[in-house]
Structures are given as structure tokens and as C-alpha cells.
């Protein structure tokens, strides 16, 4: 999982212009590793249901209370994730690289 940052718009009259590469397919994994995630932005409009997803936009109007979530890609994995040892995964969780849920879902190890 890449970096996630949320920005809440505090006043009307703002807009967003952005463009990302690697927005359709994440970086590829090697030797059986999973592909990485993609770059994109999610806009949650104040008082509205659902989300809008963008990999590129120009002068997208924003209003007070809207939230912009920026999601950056992570790299592809290397090697079969099921071959990573439990001790290494515990260290990855301790260092904040993955969550216990990810250890279970991706690596098949319940910590």
C-alpha cells in the first residue's frame, strides 16, 4: 500500500489540477511477486454519497467540506509472498510496512 494523504477544503472557490503516471497498472512484480498499486486521487464531495476517482484533471472545482485523498503507488513485490517467513512478517508489522490483516491476506500468515 502506498502513501495516503487527506486534504479537507476549508473554503469555496478552490480547484485541483493534477496528473499521474502509473494510474492504470501498478509497477509489476517479479519472480511471482504481486503487482504494486496505482497513483490516483479520490474526491469525496461534502454532503454527497460516493467518490470520484481521477488520475488526471484540470481545474476541478472544489467547495468547502470536500475531501481530496491522494494515493501514491507502491512498488511491485519480489518473490512468492507465501515464502516469506513469519519472523520477517512480524518485523514488517512492527516496522509499519504492513498490517496484520495484510500479513494474513497477502502472505497467508496469521500473526
Amino acid at each position: 500500500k502506498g502513501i495516503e494523504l487527506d486534504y479537507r477544503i476549508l473554503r469555496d472557490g478552490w480547484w485541483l489540477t493534477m496528473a499521474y503516471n502509473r494510474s492504470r497498472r501498478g509497477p509489476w512484480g517479479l519472480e511471482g511477486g504481486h503487482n504494486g498499486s496505482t497513483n490516483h486521487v479520490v474526491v469525496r464531495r461534502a454532503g454527497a454519497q460516493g467518490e470520484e476517482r481521477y488520475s488526471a484533471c484540470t481545474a476541478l472545482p472544489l467547495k468547502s467540506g470536500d475531501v481530496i485523498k491522494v494515493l501514491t503507488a507502491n512498488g511491485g513485490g519480489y518473490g512468492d509472498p507465501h515464502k516469506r517467513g513469519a519472523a520477517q512478517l512480524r518485523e514488517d508489522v512492527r516496522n509499519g510496512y504492513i498490517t496484520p490483516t495484510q500479513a494474513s491476506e497477502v502472505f497467508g500468515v496469521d500473526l
Side-chain angles (χ1 to χ4, degrees):
K1 182 172 166 178
I3 296 171
E4 294 183 17
L5 298 170
D6 287 353
Y7 297 93
R8 181 174 306 279
I9 304 303
L10 300 178
R11 297 204 171 134
D12 290 342
W14 288 89
W15 47 267
L16 173 67
T17 296
M18 50 73 65
Y20 281 124
N21 291 324
R22 288 276 183 210
S23 59
R24 293 184 187 202
R25 290 199 173 125
W28 55 88
L30 297 173
E31 302 295 326
H34 293 187
N35 289 343
S37 62
T38 59
N39 294 304
H40 59 280
V41 167
V42 172
V43 177
R44 290 189 304 259
R45 303 286 182 177
Q49 297 293 323
E51 301 177 332
E52 302 165 19
R53 181 180 167 139
Y54 297 93
S55 58
C57 61
T58 302
L60 180 71
L62 299 167
K63 294 183 179 179
S64 178
D66 291 349
V67 174
I68 301 166
K69 179 183 281 287
V70 178
L71 298 109
T72 63
N74 66 342
Y78 182 83
D80 182 348
H82 292 98
K83 291 183 179 177
R84 188 154 178 85
Q88 293 170 304
L89 289 169
R90 278 192 287 280
E91 187 70 19
D92 291 344
V93 169
R94 196 171 19 259
N95 288 324
Y97 299 142
I98 62 171
T99 65
T101 300
Q102 290 168 322
S104 176
E105 291 175 356
V106 176
F107 297 90
V109 175
D110 291 321
L111 299 177

